[in-house]
Amino acid sequence: MLPRRAGLWWGLLGVAAFSFTVPLTRVAVASGAMSPLFIGSARAVVAATLAAAALALTRQRLPRGTQWARLSLVAGGVVIGFPLLTSFALTTASAGHGAVVIAILPAATAVTVVLRGHERPPAPFWAMAAVGAVAAVVFAALQGGGSGGLRWSDLLLFGAVVAAAIGYAEGGLLARELGAWQTVSWALVLSAPLTAALTGLAVAQQPPSGTPVEWAAFAYLAAVSMFLGFFAWYRGLAIGPMAQVSQVQLTQPVMSLSWAVLLLGEQLTWSTVLGGLAVVLCATAAVRVRLGRAAAARGKRGEPRERLLDPLRADRR
C-alpha cells in the first residue's frame, strides 16, 4: 500500500524539476554562445533519444489511428512550441519576468480542457481565468522597459503558454489511452525528424559553444525538463488523487522566481511579487472552481473513484 500522500510528493518532485526550466533556459541563452533555436530544438532531440530507448526497452505498443494526430498536438505544444518560444523570449526577458507571465499556464490549461471536453463550468471559472490573463498582460506591459507596452518577448511567452496549454490538455486525455510517460515519449519520437532538422539548421547558422555551466544548463533542459521530470509528475498524477496532485503545479512560478533570485542574482521587485501573486491567485481560483465542478458532476453520475495505476506500465491492449 502506497502512503496516502505519495501522489502529492511525486507531483511536487515533478514540479520542482520543471521549476528550473525558465531560469536554466535563461542561463543557456544569456551569453549568446548557443542560439535559442539550438537550445529549443536540440534539447528535444536528446530527449527523443532517451524516449526511444525507454519505449523500445519496455516494448510499448504503437499508437493507432487518430492517436498519431493527437500526438502531433502534444508534440507541437510541449516538444516544439513551448521550448522554442521560451528560448527566444528569454534571450531578452529575465527569468523572473518569464516565470510570472507563464504562471497563467494552469488556468490556461484548465480553459483548454474545458473547451476540449465541451464542459460548462460556472461563471466564476471564466471570470477568474479572464482576470488572471489580464493580470499577466498588465504585469508584462508595466515592465515593458519603460515603453508601457508589451515587448516582443512577452508575445513569445504568451504564445508559449497557449502552446503548452494545448499540449498539456490533449496529452492528459491521450495519457488515459497510451499511458502517462508513454504519451510524452511518443510525442518526442514523432517530432524527432523536425527537431533534428531544426538542430542541423541551428548548428549550420551558429556552431554552438559555451561554458561548462551553460552546457550543464542545456543538459538539464534536455534530460530533465523534457523527459525525466515527466516521470515524477505523471507518477504523482497516476497515484492521485489527480485533482489534488494537479494543483501542485500552482507552486511552480514561486519556485522559479526563487531560483531566479538564488541562481541568477535577479532582483525581486515589488511589481514582480505583486504581479506573480495576482496571477497565481487567479489561476488557483480558476483551477479549483473547475475541479470542484468536475468532481460534483462525477459524484452525481456515480462514477467510481480513480484507480491506482502503475505509471511505468502502459496498457498493452
Side-chain angles (χ1 to χ4, degrees):
M1 181 70 68
L2 289 169
R4 182 179 179 181
R5 296 188 177 274
L8 290 174
W9 286 113
W10 278 109
L12 185 60
L13 178 61
V15 167
F18 295 144
S19 70
F20 285 94
T21 300
V22 169
L24 292 184
T25 299
R26 177 63 180 165
V27 170
V29 303
S31 70
M34 289 184 278
S35 71
L37 179 59
F38 173 80
I39 293 169
S41 58
R43 68 197 247 192
V45 173
V46 174
T49 304
L50 298 174
L55 291 169
L57 289 173
T58 55
R59 299 179 181 180
Q60 300 298 318
R61 66 174 178 83
L62 289 170
R64 302 171 183 173
T66 58
Q67 290 176 338
W68 287 110
R70 296 167 64 191
L71 278 170
S72 68
L73 289 177
V74 179
V78 302
V79 178
I80 299 173
F82 186 85
L84 282 174
L85 291 172
T86 53
S87 294
F88 279 97
L90 291 169
T91 57
T92 55
S94 68
H97 182 92
V100 172
V101 175
I102 295 173
I104 197 62
L105 178 56
T109 303
V111 170
T112 307
V113 169
V114 164
L115 297 176
R116 175 67 173 80
H118 304 289
E119 298 179 17
R120 295 182 179 180
F125 168 81
W126 296 110
M128 288 298 99
V131 172
V134 170
V137 171
V138 170
F139 166 80
L142 291 177
Q143 288 203 336
S147 62
L150 293 176
R151 293 170 292 183
W152 179 244
S153 59
D154 295 319
L155 299 180
L156 293 176
L157 289 170
F158 284 120
V161 168
V162 172
I166 294 173
Y168 281 172
E170 192 62 43
L173 294 172
L174 196 54
R176 300 172 182 174
E177 304 170 23
L178 297 177
W181 69 268
Q182 293 88 340
T183 297
V184 176
S185 295
W186 283 118
L188 286 164
V189 171
L190 178 62
S191 62
L194 176 57
T195 54
L198 291 175
T199 301
L201 176 62
V203 172
Q205 291 179 340
Q206 177 186 337
S209 60
T211 65
V213 172
E214 291 169 343
W215 279 111
F218 171 80
Y220 185 95
L221 295 172
V224 181
S225 295
M226 289 292 291
F227 188 59
L228 294 178
F230 284 100
F231 279 66
W233 174 239
Y234 283 131
R235 180 176 177 83
L237 291 176
I239 294 173
M242 188 174 295
Q244 294 180 14
V245 175
S246 64
Q247 294 182 63
V248 175
Q249 188 184 20
L250 294 165
T251 65
Q252 184 171 328
V254 178
M255 295 185 190
S256 294
L257 284 171
S258 300
W259 303 141
V261 173
L262 294 175
L263 300 179
L264 305 179
E266 293 186 1
Q267 292 186 351
L268 196 60
T269 64
W270 278 110
S271 63
T272 301
V273 172
L274 294 177
L277 183 62
V279 174
V280 170
L281 288 178
C282 291
T284 302
V287 171
R288 286 181 178 271
V289 168
R290 189 245 161 194
L291 293 176
R293 178 66 172 249
R298 287 194 299 270
K300 290 180 181 179
R301 292 195 299 265
E303 292 183 5
R305 297 178 63 183
E306 295 172 289
R307 292 182 300 169
L308 181 63
L309 303 177
D310 182 352
L312 301 181
R313 295 180 182 274
D315 183 0
R316 300 178 184 173
R317 295 190 298 272

